Amino acid sequence: MKPAFRPAELIRATAIARRYYIAGESKIRIAEDFGISRFKVARILDDARAAGIVRIEIAEPTEVDTDLSHQLRTAYGLHQAIAVVDPGEGGAMHRGLGRIAAEYLTEILEEDDTLGLACSRTLNAMTLALDELPRCTVVQLTGVLPGGVEENSVELVRRVASLARGPAYPIYAPLVVSDPATADALRAQPQVAGAMQRYAELDKAVVAIGSWSPTLSLVRDALSPAEGAALERDGVQAEVCARTVDVHGTPTAPELTSRIIAITLEQLRDVPEVVAVAGGAGKAQAIHSVLKTGVVSSLVTDTTTARTLIEAAGL
């Protein structure tokens, strides 16, 4: 039964509630002014809430589903998960996830960090949404894929380093080459080697996730249709920084791996904070597979994909 306040009690209860909840005064200060104990103040506040005099409402942001984010984080044991509400599809999806990822990166990045940056359409949108960053070093995680200038990994690194007012370590080499010997020769070049040596110093990294079934992968697009189809038949399900994995998150396609200029899964696993930004129709299975590798500590995705991932985790 709700407690009934008589007129004088009602006036006192509302005054105490305003001072505590709105003015932010302590119970001890309020108790002194009203000549009662702080325990009496606490009881009056409890009674005021029970009577409906005080109503507490938590207004959730419309862009992030906080409850779903918590469920997703718990389901995969992540440091952080952010489920963006209905960002749309195609370019709208890239921009929606990219903007929230930019806000999250700004939140976690600290002065003098070393940041690793991969490349994708969504990460391109993220870099365009950034407006300021603490001073830090920016390192390219993957070689250059064929495509537009805006999505070029060198351009992304240059753009973020300019905002961060720190040194940049780009990789002026293709992501995928024709044979292992060429890859070894490129990795030995001083400029490429200098960037890759920084992988051991990374504090944060932001990566994308590509899907091979369905085909939503810039890496697969860089291969011949025949090679891409053959690798999919051999079990390639997804990739992160061009490192391919099967449906269980097990590394696969060693021949392709030997021709890649990029950070390895083992090196990514040693980075304290790896943020994956990926979502949209068809990406859920690929994200699930990459999460099984244990290299991703935080995920920015959309609510539809988040629900599918939670179901896939068996929760």
Side-chain angles (χ1 to χ4, degrees):
M1 180 181 295
K2 294 182 179 179
F5 285 98
R6 288 171 292 196
E9 293 173 336
L10 178 62
I11 292 170
R12 182 175 68 171
T14 54
I16 288 173
R18 285 193 184 97
R19 290 180 62 174
Y20 183 73
Y21 289 109
I22 298 176
E25 297 184 34
S26 70
K27 293 175 184 176
I28 294 175
R29 174 65 183 275
I30 295 170
E32 291 174 350
D33 289 351
F34 280 86
I36 57 179
S37 71
R38 62 185 177 90
F39 303 105
K40 177 66 173 177
V41 170
R43 284 196 298 271
I44 291 172
L45 291 172
D46 289 342
D47 290 345
R49 289 180 61 183
I53 295 171
V54 173
R55 299 176 184 177
I56 299 175
E57 180 178 331
I58 299 175
E60 294 195 33
T62 57
E63 291 184 309
V64 175
D65 188 320
T66 56
D67 182 58
L68 197 61
S69 298
H70 174 72
Q71 292 180 51
L72 181 58
R73 180 182 64 81
T74 302
Y76 288 90
L78 297 168
H79 171 69
Q80 186 60 268
I82 302 173
V84 182
V85 177
D86 298 326
E89 289 296 334
M93 173 71 72
H94 301 321
R95 291 188 295 273
L97 295 185
R99 186 164 50 80
I100 297 300
E103 293 178 6
Y104 182 58
L105 180 60
T106 303
E107 182 179 359
I108 65 172
L109 203 59
E110 299 179 352
E111 195 83 9
D112 297 324
D113 269 352
T114 298
L115 170 67
L117 189 61
C119 181
S120 74
R121 296 182 181 94
T122 304
L123 297 189
N124 178 59
M126 180 195 76
T127 65
L128 291 172
L130 292 167
D131 53 16
E132 62 176 343
L133 289 172
R135 186 182 297 276
C136 64
T137 299
V138 186
V139 183
Q140 190 171 321
L141 297 182
T142 61
V144 180
L145 277 167
V149 173
E150 281 196 336
E151 293 163 10
N152 184 295
S153 48
V154 172
E155 174 61 20
L156 266 61
V157 166
R158 185 207 62 78
R159 188 185 302 151
V160 174
S162 177
L163 284 171
R165 308 173 310 284
Y169 289 86
I171 295 177
Y172 296 103
L175 175 62
V176 185
V177 296
S178 59
D179 58 82
T182 301
D184 289 340
L186 286 171
R187 294 189 200 102
Q189 289 185 358
Q191 182 272 329
V192 177
M196 300 185 86
Q197 286 170 2
R198 296 276 171 170
Y199 293 163
E201 303 171 8
L202 295 174
D203 299 292
K204 314 284 189 328
V206 186
V207 302
I209 293 173
S211 170
W212 284 53
S213 180
T215 303
L216 297 164
S217 163
L218 293 177
V219 175
R220 180 165 177 174
D221 290 346
L223 306 175
S224 70
E227 183 179 11
L231 288 171
E232 183 182 342
R233 288 194 298 272
D234 288 342
V236 175
Q237 173 62 48
E239 101 262 336
V240 54
C241 291
R243 303 302 180 177
T244 53
V245 298
D246 65 15
V247 68
H248 305 293
T250 304
T252 187
E255 195 280 330
L256 174 62
T257 297
S258 68
R259 296 156 43 209
I260 295 294
I261 311 296
I263 192 170
T264 66
L265 289 177
E266 292 75 14
Q267 289 169 322
L268 269 178
R269 197 171 283 113
D270 289 336
V271 180
E273 177 82 3
V274 177
V275 182
V277 187
K283 277 286 184 82
Q285 180 58 64
I287 296 171
H288 178 69
S289 299
V290 170
L291 289 179
K292 285 188 172 183
T293 67
V295 303
V296 173
S297 51
S298 295
L299 174 66
V300 179
T301 191
D302 62 281
T303 48
T304 300
T305 302
R307 292 187 186 96
T308 303
L309 288 169
I310 292 168
E311 183 178 350
L315 298 184

